[in-house]
Amino acid sequence: MKAVLQRVSSARVDIDGQTVGEIGRGLMILLGVAHGDTEADLDRLLQKIVKLRIFEDENGKMNRSVQDVGGDLLVVSQFTLMANYKHGNRPDFLDAAPPAESVPLYELFLKKAAEIVPHVAHGVFGADMQVTLTNDGPVTIVMDSDVLKPNKT
């Protein structure tokens, strides 16, 4: 599972000219699900996201999490995070989980996030979405649940 986090002062998702999800200060999250991703991967990634200290404290240091600042989340499904661009100039997306696998994990991510963060907005899985955001900083972080797996020693 991969996520691209952007610290934002505001963000929204529109479909056919209608806003379907909108937040103020918080994190815009593009979320991609790969073949074989599990609920354990989701849990590790979500816990790291909500505890990641990338918001400034009173001294201007990145020392607060989205939870600490009472921030919002806007989560958008993004299968293109699984792009394989190694060969040729047309990426393939064979590592992306098909909807039968990815939709349940995406929906579970939204449900679990809403148990932690008071306001979680989202896009519509598989829809053609226009995402508008004001990146604060800018601060952008790419995360991979594989990196968060415990070492097997």
Side-chain angles (χ1 to χ4, degrees), residues 9-149:
S9 54
S10 65
R12 75 170 195 268
V13 176
D14 296 329
I15 299 174
D16 295 327
Q18 298 289 94
T19 300
V20 297
E22 187 170 17
I23 64 168
R25 183 181 189 201
L27 295 174
M28 165 68 199
I29 303 169
L30 302 175
L31 184 68
V33 179
H35 285 289
D37 281 341
T38 66
E39 186 173 346
D41 294 313
L42 180 157
D43 288 338
R44 278 190 295 276
L45 193 62
L46 180 59
Q47 286 304 312
K48 182 60 80 173
I49 288 169
V50 299
K51 293 177 182 174
L52 198 64
R53 298 182 328 183
I54 58 173
F55 290 86
E56 293 179 354
D57 64 15
E58 61 280 354
N59 298 315
K61 301 288 183 191
M62 286 199 292
N63 202 27
R64 293 204 170 131
S65 70
V66 71
Q67 286 182 295
D68 295 336
V69 300
D72 304 330
L73 300 180
L74 176 60
V75 184
V76 175
S77 62
Q78 188 74 44
F79 78 93
T80 60
L81 292 178
M82 299 302 144
N84 177 348
Y85 46 84
K86 187 174 182 178
H87 301 289
N89 294 317
R90 181 187 299 236
D92 72 56
F93 304 101
L94 299 174
D95 291 339
E101 290 177 46
S102 54
V103 170
L105 283 173
Y106 172 71
E107 291 176 350
L108 185 59
F109 186 94
L110 296 174
K111 179 180 181 246
K112 288 187 172 198
E115 293 170 358
I116 302 169
V117 176
H119 179 66
V120 177
H122 56 86
V124 175
F125 190 93
D128 181 16
M129 297 174 272
Q130 286 69 53
V131 179
T132 304
L133 61 99
T134 302
N135 194 322
D136 179 23
V139 175
T140 302
I141 296 175
V142 179
M143 299 180 97
D144 188 326
S145 61
D146 286 345
V147 173
L148 301 172
K149 286 184 179 176

